[in-house]
Amino acid sequence: MKILLILWAGWSATSINSTTTTYPNTTNKQLDDEPHSQNDSQTILTPTTTTLSNGYKLPLVGIGVGNLQHELIVSQISRGISILNTTLIDTAQASNNEDLISLGIREGVQELRQLTNDDATDGDGNGRDSSRKRKNIRSRRRMSSKSAENEDKITIDIVTKVWYTHLGYERTMRVVRDTITNLTNQLHSKTKEPLWYVDINLHVLIHWPRCRDDIAWMRCEEEEEELPEEIRQLGPPPHLHPKTAFIQSWIALQDLYEIYHPTTNNGSINIASIGVSNFNIQDLQQLQTLKTSSIPITPHILQGNIWSYLFDPALISYCLTHSIQFQAYNVLNGIYTSHNIERAPRSAAMLHSIAAELAAHVTSTQVLLKYLMMKGISMIPRTTSSFHLSQNSLGSIADIPMLTPVQQGKVLKAIRGLMEGRDPDETPPNAARFVNGMVEEVMHLFWLDGKTGEETRIADVAAGEEVMQSSWPGHVFVVYSG
């Protein structure tokens, strides 16, 4: 037997024996208890959905297209749905891309159905992969109409956000209804095949509680003046009422939630949850204070920068206490950037080491997503690359082995190091510990010269014994048994 070990000095200790340990899931209690399917029933699996406070099951990982180049939106969504089972899409009113999202959904579900049909007629088993994709598509239910008899309906979740120019009751009512109308017209166009087998569940958030003069890119007065006159007539300029406009919007979202909730709405586009984005704890507390009078619903979702999850414990504690699901944006662009890696190289090396421990194909960015997924954090990473779209998909992250408690601690330390721009103060020893977990066999440890390929024997480890070996980043060791 030959085992190849690649070590990043100071960050990991490697055991010669290749045993597998499983760990119970002790993360966010809102996590769904239906795990992603894998063959090994002995392994504890990562849940792929989280249950909101209203009972709705939301995928933990989706795709962000809010700021994605318009020419990429259709292909990314289509590929995500048909190939990767991605059913959660994040956007915003200000992105002005609802027609492209609709087109991407149309192409994706049609391709998915074609794969399914090909599988159903393929007698030699060539369609097995497409059958697996079809089974994993989420939230299906039986149709009762004759045209859809015995067919499954596909549910797509879209997170969208009301821009701060549309704060206020009437403005918010108008823009959300416009969104529903636009999506309905696109998906059920009379000039195209109606997508009767698709349900759209919207999760509508208030994008910002107010327009702020201290944020350079917010153009409060200019954006108000640029609005169509019919929108401006629906209510006073929200930037002139920064303390109350978002309250009126929240009342509007609750009314819309009651009208378009899946249990009361017969349409194919529903509002499954409502929430807020970029709110601080004081803004949330203001909603909570009014809860006993005119506002009966606590936000189901708080979408925020990944920074808030790591460095605002009071906000996260508030979310947990009030059963508000935290959904993170800016996950990869906020953590694993070339600039951050240059400033905290040992933190980056730590993630690389853990990725190598998990599996040969796992990347450092996937380790980040796996860690957050295990913590019950919903994520909507954005990418322009089809390759990264696949790497960051729900199925890919769910298939990565669970992180051990020790690995989770290291990942958290590495994330903080990268975001703070400095490595942890403590410096682990540059040594690796090798343990022979075999019953009888002696294990022979060699160092592999990366340039020449020559192996140098450095130790023989008897059964049940261990050895410490000095090491440097990138060292490669080879172990033989017998």
Side-chain angles (χ1 to χ4, degrees), residues 16-35:
I16 287 179
N17 61 312
S18 55
T19 58
T20 300
T21 305
T22 59
Y23 295 87
N25 181 12
T26 58
T27 56
N28 193 324
K29 65 180 180 181
Q30 293 180 329
L31 285 179
D32 188 6
D33 57 1
E34 296 181 8

Side-chain angles (χ1 to χ4, degrees), residues 71-330:
E71 63 270 19
L72 299 176
I73 290 176
V74 173
S75 61
Q76 292 289 75
I77 291 178
S78 175
R79 176 176 173 80
I81 292 174
S82 63
I83 305 299
L84 304 171
N85 307 322
T86 299
T87 58
L88 173 62
I89 302 165
D90 177 78
T91 187
Q93 169 213 345
S95 301
N96 193 29
N97 59 14
E98 291 167 356
D99 57 335
L100 297 173
I101 291 174
S102 299
L103 183 56
I105 292 173
R106 173 178 288 277
E107 292 187 3
V109 295
Q110 288 178 336
E111 174 66 18
L112 181 65
R113 285 175 61 81
Q114 184 61 49
L115 288 172
T116 305
N117 292 336
D118 291 346
D119 176 64
T121 58
D122 189 351
D124 60 5
N126 290 334
R128 182 170 51 189
D129 287 343
S130 61
S131 175
R132 179 181 65 81
K133 296 184 183 80
R134 187 70 181 93
K135 289 179 181 178
N136 284 345
I137 207 74
R138 67 178 299 274
S139 300
R140 301 176 299 154
R141 60 182 175 84
R142 293 293 179 183
M143 296 287 290
S144 57
S145 64
K146 291 182 180 180
S147 63
E149 186 176 2
N150 295 326
E151 292 286 349
D152 291 323
K153 243 189 173 183
I154 302 169
T155 296
I156 304 296
D157 292 287
I158 299 178
V159 178
T160 188
K161 297 174 281 293
V162 177
W163 195 237
Y164 53 71
T165 53
H166 287 67
L167 294 179
Y169 186 88
E170 293 297 339
R171 291 191 183 196
T172 296
M173 292 288 287
R174 170 64 180 272
V175 72
V176 175
R177 281 177 166 155
D178 284 350
T179 291
I180 293 174
T181 299
N182 291 340
L183 291 173
T184 301
N185 291 341
Q186 291 290 335
L187 294 174
H188 303 288
S189 170
K190 294 181 180 180
T191 61
K192 300 178 182 179
E193 175 194 359
L195 300 185
W196 50 260
Y197 46 86
V198 177
D199 272 341
I200 302 295
N201 279 345
L202 293 177
H203 307 268
V204 187
L205 316 181
I206 298 175
H207 206 151
W208 291 87
R210 62 190 60 84
C211 187
R212 295 171 48 177
D213 293 328
D214 61 332
I215 297 180
W217 56 262
M218 287 188 172
R219 301 161 43 250
C220 303
E221 293 185 7
E222 292 88 342
E223 289 183 75
E224 175 68 21
E225 294 175 357
E226 292 168 0
L227 290 174
E229 183 62 27
E230 59 178 319
I231 300 298
R232 297 178 64 183
Q233 291 181 355
L234 292 176
H239 70 281
L240 299 181
H241 304 274
K243 296 183 179 180
T244 58
F246 77 90
I247 295 293
Q248 295 304 310
S249 285
W250 185 244
I251 296 174
L253 287 191
Q254 291 179 106
D255 290 346
L256 289 163
Y257 177 69
E258 292 182 3
I259 296 170
Y260 292 100
H261 191 270
T263 60
T264 58
N265 181 38
N266 294 323
S268 60
I269 298 181
N270 309 298
I271 296 179
S273 74
I274 55 178
V276 296
S277 174
N278 299 305
F279 273 47
N280 59 35
I281 193 169
Q282 289 78 23
D283 296 325
L284 290 173
Q285 288 172 336
Q286 189 171 350
L287 294 182
Q288 187 69 20
T289 301
L290 299 173
K291 178 179 177 181
T292 56
S293 54
S294 62
I295 299 185
I297 301 176
T298 298
H300 302 119
I301 298 172
L302 168 62
Q303 188 180 102
N305 195 301
I306 186 61
W307 184 94
S308 297
Y309 175 71
L310 293 163
F311 299 103
D312 193 348
L315 178 65
I316 301 306
S317 176
Y318 186 93
C319 289
L320 291 173
T321 301
H322 295 88
S323 300
I324 302 173
Q325 174 65 42
F326 187 81
Q327 185 175 71
Y329 68 82
N330 202 37

Side-chain angles (χ1 to χ4, degrees), residues 52-72:
L52 303 181
S53 60
N54 64 354
Y56 189 85
K57 291 183 178 180
L58 184 73
L60 280 171
V61 182
I63 174 176
V65 300
N67 295 321
L68 190 65
Q69 296 93 317
H70 278 201
E71 63 270 19
L72 299 176

